[in-house]
Amino acid sequence: METRRVADILKNGQPEETVIIKGWVRTKRELKGFAFTEVNDGSSLAGLQVVLDNEIPDYDTIIKKVNTGASIEVAGKLVPSQGKGQKIELKANSVIIYGEADLETYPLQKKRHSFEFLRTISHLRSRTNTLGAVFRVRNACATAIHQFFQEKGFMWIHSPIITASDCEGAGELFTVTNLNLNNLPKNDAGEVDYSQDFFGKPAYLTVSGQLQAEVMAMAFQNVYTFGPTFRAENSNTSRHLAEFWMVEPEMAFCDLEGDQNLAEEFLKYIFKYVLETCPEDMEFFNKWINKTVLATADNIINNEFARITYTKAVELLEKADKKFEFPVEWGIDLQSEHERYLAEELFKKPVIVSNYPKEIKAFYMRLDEGEKTVSAMDVLAPNIGEIIGGSQREERLDVLERRIQETGMESDDLWWYLDLRRYGTVPHAGFGLGFERVVQFMTGMTNIRDVIPFPRTPLNAEF
RNA sequence: UCCUCGGUAGCUCAGCGGUAGAGCGGUCGGCUGUUAACCGAUUGGUCGUAGGUUCGAAUCCCACCCGGGGAGCCA
């Protein structure tokens, strides 16, 4: 007989003759001669209440082993519940114990734990309500991303995880090598001789798939990457990971406005999708984690994002009735406090800021008329800050070469990137989005380490 | 990396120079419909690590390690 998922049983909500479920015991309430237990199989936030009484075979031995954390299989009858907390419950006919859990050492209790503590038991924390809900939402979010792009005819492309050049210059890189670190080959100058390394030159974990996405967009028009990205930056914040997932769409024949339109449509789509597919989990976050989660989602879905230029943003900040730690003037990079003011206090919704000074942005962003600004845009979200960063790319070979020089990049490494402008260049644009930040924003979780199953941060790679 | 707060029982914390505490959890007992069940009893500690001050240090000082929050960098 087929094993049923608890989510389906609860959704159906009807009595049934015989049902089998498999899962992990969350709680047991033992009375004289019978017991209630809640079994969770990961399919939903709510578990199924199972009633065990001394008519089942081996009741006395089984009841001692049905403890929080134990894995069991229950066969029985779905009946209307006499209690108040649930519509139906499973009256067990028989129970199989797969694996016991020693209550004296099992670290998860029937009460709330701090997220800090749960991080020290990442191999078990997914069995808690909150982390369970987070990872179901994370999955829904990933599904929504693929569905959004696939529906629009974007091709999912697989950018390399190992790259041999630090093209974007974004942050510190992790080196990839198979040289013997205890006996490094040296050249005449006493430096490490990478010609003897696996790739014959230094190699790194990717910090962005953007340049490769541009390559593929020059053949397939609309593409996106969705995969892991690495930064060896020593950042200790609630918004940074050394290993995180990034989504990077790239569109040929597209300008900055089209880029902004896609970003807005994209965020609306995934919020809508998650609300529709994980209503129970979202209610949970709204109740226990952050009471503005549902209102925020509603705000995203039903309002147009504000769109202002950097120049306008600076104007607004200069006349803001608020004292900033970092003073505002045209030319500065916007600080966290400035971004927060715009998104949280002034507009109270996501704000797209565009056309930043060229000095504070990357070399590949398209130079605007007047050559003071570039066609960049950031989507700033309340409580999270920058959630999306994108731009129209510089498609003009001469301008791009000039910008590479100005920003001190090594054009020899970029020969293939420049070739895209030599052969059939087109205006194109794209953006990057930190996947975990979207999950954070959506769930209201304050620390990014709690929205990825196995967080990688400085000094932390245990699991 | 910087600023700041913290590290005491399995968990969450109180104690802040003079015998190491509470709640929860665990264990045992009670209870025929529980819902983080309830009631009673009980168990549980190198006070992050190493130095120093003191008659005496969980408590004061110093260094280091680890964690939270904020900042920088960014996604």
Side-chain angles (χ1 to χ4, degrees):
Chain A
M1 193 178 167
E2 205 181 327
T3 304
R4 297 280 298 279
R5 298 305 299 270
V6 169
D8 296 332
I9 290 172
L10 294 174
K11 195 175 169 192
N12 188 26
Q14 297 301 312
E16 292 182 47
E17 266 316 302
T18 46
V19 161
I20 294 177
I21 62 159
K22 294 172 182 167
W24 290 266
V25 175
R26 283 288 178 82
T27 70
K28 177 177 67 173
R29 294 176 288 275
E30 207 178 337
L31 290 91
K32 189 166 189 147
F34 70 111
F36 298 95
T37 173
E38 189 188 324
V39 177
N40 190 291
D41 69 353
S43 61
S44 66
L45 186 67
L48 184 63
Q49 172 156 286
V50 174
V51 185
L52 306 161
D53 64 30
N54 54 17
E55 285 165 27
I56 68 168
D58 299 320
Y59 177 78
D60 289 339
T61 42
I62 278 179
I63 200 63
K64 284 192 177 66
K65 296 178 179 175
V66 177
N67 286 324
T68 302
S71 50
I72 65 172
E73 173 179 330
V74 183
K77 186 175 175 179
L78 274 181
V79 298
S81 177
Q82 297 172 39
K84 282 196 178 131
Q86 57 285 315
K87 256 170 48 183
I88 53 169
E89 64 193 16
L90 182 60
K91 187 172 183 318
N93 292 328
S94 64
V95 175
I96 296 168
I97 311 283
Y98 281 93
E100 297 175 46
D102 181 1
L103 288 176
E104 299 212 27
T105 56
Y106 187 64
L108 290 174
Q109 300 171 9
K110 292 182 278 191
K111 59 166 203 159
R112 276 182 98 163
H113 289 290
S114 67
F115 292 122
E116 293 81 19
F117 170 66
L118 291 175
R119 265 172 236 147
T120 68
I121 49 165
S122 288
H123 58 307
L124 297 171
R125 67 175 183 165
S126 296
R127 301 185 192 182
T128 64
N129 284 339
T130 303
L131 275 294
V134 165
F135 297 136
R136 272 187 301 276
V137 164
R138 184 183 166 103
N139 171 64
C141 219
T143 305
I145 286 166
H146 281 301
Q147 197 169 297
F148 173 79
F149 286 122
Q150 293 296 327
E151 279 174 5
K152 294 182 88 68
F154 282 57
M155 181 187 281
W156 182 28
I157 59 138
H158 306 117
S159 53
I161 286 172
I162 299 173
T163 59
S165 54
D166 169 22
C167 284
E168 205 189 348
E172 303 269 325
L173 299 149
F174 285 104
T175 301
V176 177
T177 182
N178 72 339
L179 292 174
N180 180 354
L181 296 181
N182 293 315
N183 185 18
L184 287 169
K186 300 282 176 65
N187 61 20
D188 295 342
E191 297 160 335
V192 175
D193 181 7
Y194 282 103
S195 70
Q196 295 186 43
D197 202 353
F198 190 90
F199 297 104
K201 53 181 167 181
Y204 311 95
L205 293 178
T206 185
V207 294
S208 164
Q210 185 200 309
L211 302 192
Q212 287 88 356
E214 285 186 55
V215 169
M216 298 302 270
M218 295 300 108
F220 301 101
Q221 295 205 9
N222 293 338
V223 302
Y224 69 105
T225 70
F226 184 14
T229 312
F230 308 87
R231 305 275 164 93
E233 204 70 53
N234 187 16
S235 336
N236 295 290
T237 83
S238 56
R239 303 184 310 283
H240 291 84
L241 292 164
E243 176 181 311
F244 64 99
W245 283 58
M246 191 145 69
V247 181
E248 293 170 294
E250 193 68 37
M251 295 170 286
F253 309 104
C254 181
D255 62 11
L256 186 64
E257 194 188 348
D259 204 29
Q260 294 182 29
N261 292 343
L262 185 81
E264 180 166 350
E265 196 185 336
F266 171 79
L267 284 176
K268 286 183 154 84
Y269 184 99
I270 55 181
F271 269 84
K272 203 166 170 214
Y273 182 92
V274 170
L275 279 186
E276 281 166 6
T277 53
C278 303
E280 189 193 20
D281 292 319
M282 292 301 288
E283 290 279 356
F284 176 85
F285 293 123
N286 198 64
K287 185 172 180 191
W288 297 105
I289 303 298
N290 182 327
K291 296 203 187 309
T292 66
V293 158
L294 290 178
T296 300
D298 188 68
N299 180 307
I300 301 273
I301 294 167
N302 297 309
N303 286 302
E304 272 187 31
F305 292 9
R307 297 190 191 191
I308 55 174
T309 62
Y310 168 88
T311 304
K312 179 75 183 170
V314 168
E315 255 177 63
L316 290 170
L317 289 165
E318 276 174 336
K319 65 182 181 195
D321 185 22
K322 189 182 173 82
K323 199 168 159 61
F324 295 111
E325 191 186 337
F326 295 90
V328 181
E329 63 171 322
W330 201 96
I332 62 148
D333 208 351
L334 297 182
Q335 302 290 316
S336 287
E337 56 173 344
H338 305 140
E339 298 182 347
R340 293 179 70 111
Y341 173 78
L342 291 171
E344 288 167 23
E345 294 183 48
L346 200 57
F347 290 98
K348 296 183 165 55
K349 62 181 182 180
V351 183
I352 308 180
V353 180
S354 63
N355 306 92
Y356 285 80
K358 65 177 180 189
E359 286 79 12
I360 58 172
K361 288 292 181 183
F363 74 93
Y364 53 73
M365 297 184 176
R366 193 178 196 278
L367 204 55
D368 292 326
E369 296 280 317
E371 305 211 338
K372 280 197 161 67
T373 58
V374 290
S375 290
M377 62 105 180
D378 286 349
V379 180
L380 312 178
N383 303 320
I384 297 288
E386 187 186 331
I387 192 169
I388 284 179
S391 67
Q392 184 174 342
R393 320 305 189 190
E394 185 54 75
E395 85 282 9
R396 297 161 296 188
L397 180 63
D398 57 326
V399 181
L400 184 59
E401 282 179 325
R402 183 150 57 86
R403 291 284 292 144
I404 287 173
Q405 271 206 320
E406 281 172 14
T407 52
M409 300 291 298
E410 199 54 67
S411 60
D412 288 354
D413 289 343
L414 290 165
W415 66 272
W416 50 274
Y417 189 69
L418 289 164
D419 260 8
L420 298 177
R421 277 74 182 169
R422 274 189 194 100
Y423 310 117
T425 191
V426 296
H428 61 292
F431 61 78
L433 156 125
F435 180 56
E436 282 76 17
R437 290 203 182 160
V438 174
V439 181
Q440 250 190 300
F441 189 31
M442 196 165 286
T443 59
M445 295 294 288
T446 53
N447 196 308
I448 200 166
R449 296 162 198 205
D450 300 323
V451 298
I452 186 168
F454 305 103
R456 296 289 177 260
T457 52
L459 300 173
N460 198 332
E462 178 77 14
F463 302 94

